C-alpha cells in the first residue's frame, strides 16, 4: 500500500472551517474578522468584508447587522438561520485569506445555486491567491489551496484534484473534471 506524507511549513497560515457554526461573544463584524492576521485596514476593511458576504449571497438584513458595531450577541447561531451561519463561517475564512483552507462539507446546507457559487468562490480564492484582494499584487502573495469534502458533482468538477474515498476500492486520485456519477455510486 502506498502512503502519502503531507508537509506544511510552519510559516503557512492554515484555517479549518468546521461544518458547525462557531461564534465568539461580540458583533458580527468582530466575528468575521476574528483571526485576521493581515495588515489592519486591508484584510479587515469593511468594504472587503461586505463584498465577500454579498458574494456569499447573504441577505441585506445580515449585511446590515455586520455594519452595526453596537450589537453584541452571546449566541449569533440562535439569531441566524443555519445557512446564514454557515455562510458567515465561509466569509470569515475568505476574509482571513489563509494559504491553506480545509473545509468540512462547505456546501451541504445550501441549495444548488448557492453551493455552486461557493465552489466557484473557492476556485477564485485559489486562482487569485485570495478573494476581494488587489489583483496587481497577486504575484507577491503565496499560492492558495483549498481542501474540502463534498458529494456534489458540480463542486467536485471545480476541484483540480479529487480524492474519491471508498471502503472497497480505497482512495482514487483523479482530476476533478473527470469524476462522474458512477464514481460516486457507492454513496447511499
Amino acid at each position: 500500500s502506498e502512503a502519502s506524507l503531507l508537509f506544511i511549513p510552519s510559516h503557512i497560515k492554515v484555517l479549518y472551517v468546521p461544518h458547525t457554526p462557531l461564534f465568539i461573544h461580540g458583533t458580527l463584524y468582530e466575528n468575521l474578522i476574528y483571526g485576521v492576521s493581515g495588515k489592519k485596514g486591508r484584510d479587515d476593511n469593511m468594504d472587503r468584508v461586505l463584498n465577500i458576504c454579498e458574494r456569499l449571497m447573504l441577505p441585506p438584513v445580515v449585511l446590515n447587522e455586520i455594519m452595526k458595531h453596537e450589537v453584541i450577541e452571546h449566541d449569533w447561531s440562535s439569531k441566524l438561520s443555519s445557512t446564514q451561519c454557515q455562510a458567515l463561517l465561509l466569509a470569515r475564512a475568505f476574509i482571513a485569506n489563509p494559504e491553506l483552507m480545509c473545509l468540512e462539507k462547505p456546501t451541504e446546507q445550501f441549495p444548488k445555486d448557492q453551493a455552486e457559487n461557493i465552489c466557484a468562490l473557492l476556485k477564485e480564492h485559489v486562482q487569485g491567491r485570495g478573494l476581494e484582494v488587489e489583483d496587481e499584487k497577486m504575484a507577491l502573495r503565496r499560492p492558495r489551496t483549498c481542501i474540502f469534502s463534498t458529494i456534489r458533482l458540480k463542486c467536485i468538477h471545480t476541484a483540480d484534484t479529487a480524492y474519491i474515498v471508498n471502503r472497497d476500492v480505497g482512495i482514487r486520485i483523479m482530476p476533478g473534471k473527470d469524476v462522474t456519477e458512477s464514481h460516486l455510486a457507492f454513496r447511499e
Side-chain angles (χ1 to χ4, degrees):
S1 112
E2 291 183 28
S4 296
L5 181 63
L6 177 66
F7 172 73
I8 301 171
S10 61
H11 66 277
I12 299 294
K13 183 169 38 169
V14 179
L15 182 65
Y16 169 69
V17 182
H19 184 62
T20 53
L22 300 169
F23 292 99
I24 60 168
H25 173 75
T27 66
L28 267 185
Y29 177 73
E30 290 168 336
N31 271 275
L32 287 169
I33 64 165
Y34 181 78
V36 171
S37 59
K39 189 176 181 182
K40 289 294 180 193
R42 183 187 67 194
D43 289 341
D44 62 355
N45 175 287
M46 180 63 82
D47 289 335
R48 179 173 182 263
V49 169
L50 291 173
N51 287 341
I52 289 172
C53 290
E54 285 175 4
R55 294 186 68 190
L56 284 163
M57 301 180 181
L58 280 160
V61 66
V62 175
L63 298 175
N64 289 334
E65 286 296 321
I66 293 168
M67 291 186 283
K68 294 179 185 174
H69 292 285
E70 69 279 354
V71 179
I72 296 175
E73 285 292 336
H74 295 285
D75 185 17
W76 282 105
S77 58
S78 67
K79 304 283 185 201
L80 303 166
S81 73
S82 61
T83 306
Q84 291 168 344
C85 289
Q86 188 66 26
L88 287 165
L89 288 180
L90 292 169
R92 181 190 300 156
F94 286 126
I95 292 162
N97 198 13
E99 285 90 1
L100 175 60
M101 197 183 318
C102 302
L103 304 104
E104 181 185 353
K105 302 175 185 171
T107 63
E108 189 172 282
Q109 294 182 2
F110 295 94
K112 183 180 175 185
D113 63 326
Q114 278 186 283
E116 290 174 6
N117 178 57
I118 289 165
C119 290
L121 291 174
L122 289 170
K123 184 82 170 180
E124 184 181 335
H125 172 76
V126 170
Q127 291 175 337
R129 297 183 178 191
L131 197 61
E132 293 292 325
V133 290
E134 298 174 34
D135 290 336
E136 60 273 2
K137 294 187 179 178
M138 185 175 89
L140 302 175
R141 295 190 296 271
R142 290 187 182 110
R144 303 293 189 260
T145 300
C146 292
I147 300 171
F148 60 94
S149 57
T150 186
I151 58 172
R152 294 181 186 255
L153 192 57
K154 273 265 202 201
C155 291
I156 294 170
H157 288 161
T158 64
D160 295 326
T161 305
Y163 291 77
I164 302 169
V165 182
N166 180 319
R167 256 182 253 155
D168 302 327
V169 181
I171 300 173
R172 292 183 64 191
I173 303 171
M174 60 193 320
K177 63 181 175 42
D178 294 345
V179 177
T180 64
E181 280 290 335
S182 65
H183 292 108
L184 307 178
F186 61 88
R187 66 185 169 121
E188 295 181 339

